[in-house]
Amino acid sequence: MMNNFYNKLQESTQSEREYLLTAPIINAVFSGDIQLGQYASFLQQAFHHVKHTVPLLMACGSKLDESKEWLRVAVGEYIEEETGHQEWILNDIAACGFDKEVVRSSRPSFETEMMVSYAYDSIHRVSPLSFFGMVNVLEGTSIALADDAASMIANKLDLPSHAFSYLSSHGALDIEHIEFFKGLMNKITCPNEQAIITHSAKCFYRLYGDMFRSLESRPNYTHVEEAC
């Protein structure tokens, strides 16, 4: 019988996914109540977690053992695909009229920092497979929301198309990614490994949902202290 862990993963995380999708900011987008500062705030927090995607992938790949060489190869493909996406976000921020260099040197919100911290921690403390719970959440959310959200925000705020390179590209790109991801997850047959990924996905839905709930009416320009 064919393993279909991917579908089981979606079923097992339904309530946590609803927590994310019912964040007030998402309702504001689709009811036409979104403000420019809120979109820029979203982009700022996206920058602060997306810039960790490649380092997290590298950490994950380095912790996989030889039995998961096929998964390490996939991680290498993800790294190639994801490199530099944080710069797309900064360019979108500039297209919205905000200073992207100020955002680059800003601090993430507490909620974003906790999500990123949990990602690193779970890879090293629990299992590198924990990272795939995060992949499930971020790419699944992009497919569900990104393209429609970009269209709604553009219509409401009258922003140019080049203010949506991150959202627009990830809506289409992540459709391809999720098919690839499905294939990877359906190769995970060990119940313990499936449980690790499921638990991680549940945590990341909550953490990502908290990030959405923390978005302010404009970017937060609290700066990172310069290195000595």
Side-chain angles (χ1 to χ4, degrees):
M1 183 177 178
M2 180 179 177
N3 177 54
N4 202 332
F5 171 53
Y6 176 80
N7 283 352
K8 292 177 185 175
L9 178 60
Q10 309 318 306
E11 293 168 2
S12 299
T13 57
Q14 183 176 350
S15 62
E16 291 78 11
R17 184 164 54 253
E18 284 301 310
Y19 175 77
L20 188 159
L21 294 177
T22 54
I25 189 69
I26 293 177
N27 180 65
V29 168
F30 290 102
S31 63
D33 292 332
I34 189 72
Q35 301 171 21
L36 177 62
Q38 290 174 309
Y39 176 51
S41 181
F42 161 75
L43 290 172
Q44 180 185 31
Q45 299 312 314
F47 166 75
H48 280 302
H49 72 77
V50 168
K51 71 181 181 181
H52 289 281
T53 301
V54 170
L56 284 166
L57 283 163
M58 290 177 171
C60 173
S62 73
K63 298 282 284 185
L64 291 168
D65 62 33
E66 290 183 2
S67 71
K68 292 290 189 295
E69 180 63 25
W70 58 272
L71 194 51
R72 186 157 35 216
V73 171
V75 166
E77 293 184 35
Y78 272 120
I79 289 172
E80 185 175 356
E81 288 278 354
E82 296 295 330
T83 298
H85 287 195
Q86 70 273 17
E87 295 299 324
W88 299 1
I89 299 171
L90 290 176
N91 290 337
D92 288 350
I93 288 169
C96 291
F98 295 88
D99 188 335
K100 72 177 185 179
E101 295 307 321
V102 173
V103 171
R104 188 195 298 275
S105 64
S106 68
R107 289 189 181 277
S109 69
F110 173 82
E111 291 79 6
T112 303
E113 189 162 358
M114 289 304 99
M115 183 174 76
V116 171
S117 297
Y118 179 74
Y120 282 108
D121 174 71
S122 59
I123 288 171
H124 293 290
R125 177 178 54 85
V126 181
S127 166
L129 294 176
S130 297
F131 180 70
F132 294 95
M134 186 179 192
V135 175
N136 181 73
V137 171
L138 296 183
E139 294 196 348
T141 303
S142 288
I143 287 175
L145 300 176
D147 283 338
D148 289 342
S151 178
M152 293 292 292
I153 296 168
N155 289 337
K156 170 66 176 179
L157 301 177
D158 195 26
L159 290 170
S161 60
H162 60 275
F164 299 95
S165 59
Y166 174 64
L167 279 182
S168 296
S169 65
H170 278 69
L173 183 62
D174 287 342
I175 291 174
E176 297 178 17
H177 280 184
I178 211 70
E179 290 302 318
F180 183 57
F181 180 70
K182 284 181 184 180
L184 296 178
M185 291 301 95
N186 287 338
K187 290 182 181 179
I188 303 290
T189 58
C190 170
N192 288 339
E193 293 178 345
Q194 291 179 350
I196 288 169
I197 296 170
T198 300
H199 175 73
S200 172
K202 289 182 176 183
C203 291
F204 277 111
Y205 272 124
R206 179 60 185 259
L207 291 163
Y208 199 37
D210 287 344
M211 190 206 83
F212 275 101
R213 283 169 165 78
S214 76
L215 294 179
E216 300 178 357
S217 59
R218 61 177 290 110
N220 183 341
Y221 291 145
T222 304
H223 286 218
V224 176
E225 294 179 6
E226 293 185 4
C228 297

